[in-house]
């Protein structure tokens, strides 16, 4: 069987809403081809309408029945998100306004969708309105909670129409469920500003939560952190 036919057979056998990484497909199934020939074959299939280019280095089977353009783009967006979040939603996490909206920190909505994913192999990828950044750590429950907090704290001054009472409630909730081991692991492996770490420590100290974040800070430095509002519930 020719490689073109094998590629067609592969895409015919997967769900039409699936998103396939060309690099991963090549490494796992078509490494006997030259890389140049493989990508040219994909380009020809896309040109012939057999597959659809979903983004840079990303392909999807062509939709068998033509739907409205809007519905098709929504389906494609969902497929891209499903790919980067992983089968069990443990390979990706929202950042940016999807994260802020999740905790009700602002009512401002954004069309662009940002997320971390440990599936992506390079620094970042932009597919339509989905912007993905590489994160090189396991995204289990505890690590994700710490990353969410660090993202929110680091962008505190940039969140449009921030609801400070909702933020105060979020800070209390985070402090109550804080896991120091996860926080240390994340900070050691993902780069965040010292002022962001100091902000997290200030929240934890305010709620008298034991932590070891001082190891990442300098006693000789004075970090600029926002004023905090303590809430009882």
């Amino acid at each position: 069987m020719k490689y073109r036919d094998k590629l067609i057979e592969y895409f015919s056998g997967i769900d039409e809403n699936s998103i396939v990484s060309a690099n991963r497909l090549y490494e796992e199934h078509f490494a006997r081809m030259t890389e140049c020939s493989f990508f040219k074959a994909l380009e020809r299939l896309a040109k012939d309408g057999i597959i659809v280019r979903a983004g840079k280095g990303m392909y999807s089977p062509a939709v068998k029945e033509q739907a409205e353009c809007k519905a098709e783009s929504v389906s494609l967006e969902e497929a891209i998100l499903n790919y980067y979040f992983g089968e069990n939603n443990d390979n990706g996490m929202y950042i940016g306004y999807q994260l802020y909206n999740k905790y009700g920190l602002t009512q401002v909505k954004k069309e662009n969708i940002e997320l971390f994913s440990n599936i992506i192999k390079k620094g970042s990828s932009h597919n339509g309105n989905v912007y993905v950044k590489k994160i090189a750590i396991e995204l289990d429950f505890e690590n994700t909670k710490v990353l969410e907090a660090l993202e929110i704290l680091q962008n505190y001054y940039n969140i449009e129409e921030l609801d400070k009472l909702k933020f105060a409630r979020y800070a209390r909730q985070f402090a109550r469920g804080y896991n120091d081991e996860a926080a240390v692991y994340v900070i050691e492996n993902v780069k965040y500003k010292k002022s962001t770490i100091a902000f997290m420590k200030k929240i934890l100290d305010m709620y008298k939560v034991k932590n070891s974040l001082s190891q990442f800070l300098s006693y000789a430095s004075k970090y600029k952190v926002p004023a905090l509002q303590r809430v009882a519930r």
Side-chain angles (χ1 to χ4, degrees):
M1 185 183 293
K2 294 180 180 179
Y3 281 119
R4 174 185 168 88
D5 294 331
K6 288 183 178 180
L7 281 165
I8 293 173
E9 183 180 61
Y10 175 84
F11 279 100
S12 298
I14 63 176
D15 188 272
E16 64 185 26
N17 289 320
S18 299
I19 297 292
V20 177
S21 164
N23 286 329
R24 179 173 290 186
L25 178 61
Y26 175 74
E27 291 172 1
E28 294 180 357
H29 298 283
F30 293 92
R32 290 186 178 181
M33 294 177 69
T34 66
E35 195 168 344
C36 181
S37 297
F38 172 76
F39 282 98
K40 282 184 178 179
L42 285 181
E43 289 173 6
R44 285 194 292 269
L45 291 180
K47 188 176 180 180
D48 293 343
I50 297 170
I51 61 176
V52 176
R53 188 176 184 274
K56 188 175 180 180
M58 310 293 290
Y59 292 88
S60 178
V63 178
K64 295 175 183 177
E65 297 180 4
Q66 293 298 321
E68 294 181 2
C69 291
K70 184 177 180 181
E72 188 175 321
S73 65
V74 170
S75 174
L76 188 59
E77 177 186 290
E78 290 177 353
I80 291 172
L81 291 174
N82 288 339
Y83 173 77
Y84 283 117
F85 273 96
E87 186 174 346
N88 298 312
N89 284 333
D90 54 2
N91 292 114
M93 58 167 278
Y94 283 122
I95 56 176
Y97 278 82
Q98 283 70 36
L99 172 60
Y100 313 149
N101 296 150
K102 173 182 176 180
Y103 291 106
L105 303 179
T106 177
Q107 295 302 312
V108 174
K109 309 287 185 182
K110 299 287 184 179
E111 289 187 8
N112 289 337
I113 299 172
E114 298 179 76
L115 61 144
F116 280 147
S117 175
N118 53 29
I119 287 179
I120 187 172
K121 292 187 176 181
K122 58 181 182 178
S124 63
S125 177
H126 201 174
N127 300 296
N129 67 326
V130 179
Y131 183 68
V132 188
K133 296 180 182 179
K134 179 178 176 60
I135 191 79
I137 64 172
E138 183 183 354
L139 294 178
D140 61 16
F141 177 81
E142 297 295 348
N143 292 345
T144 297
K145 290 296 180 185
V146 173
L147 279 166
E148 287 181 337
L150 289 165
E151 284 293 309
I152 290 168
L153 301 183
Q154 184 145 290
N155 293 287
Y156 178 89
Y157 289 113
N158 299 320
I159 300 174
E160 297 175 27
E161 299 179 20
L162 174 67
D163 186 324
K164 293 187 176 180
L165 178 58
K166 292 285 183 65
F167 173 80
R169 288 174 177 166
Y170 167 77
R172 176 188 54 79
Q173 178 186 6
F174 170 74
R176 286 186 171 180
Y178 176 74
N179 183 309
D180 193 59
E181 183 179 353
V184 170
Y185 170 74
V186 170
I187 293 169
E188 285 180 339
N189 289 278
V190 185
K191 187 176 181 180
Y192 283 97
K193 296 176 182 178
K194 298 288 186 182
S195 58
T196 300
I197 301 170
F199 192 7
M200 179 176 284
K201 180 169 175 55
K202 184 175 180 180
I203 291 171
L204 297 171
D205 291 346
M206 181 174 69
Y207 287 101
K208 296 181 171 53
V209 176
K210 186 177 179 181
N211 66 88
S212 60
L213 299 187
S214 58
Q215 64 182 295
F216 301 106
L217 305 171
S218 170
Y219 289 106
S221 299
K222 188 174 182 180
Y223 302 100
K224 181 184 177 182
V225 299
L228 289 171
Q229 176 183 355
R230 183 179 178 123
V231 292
R233 59 184 178 85

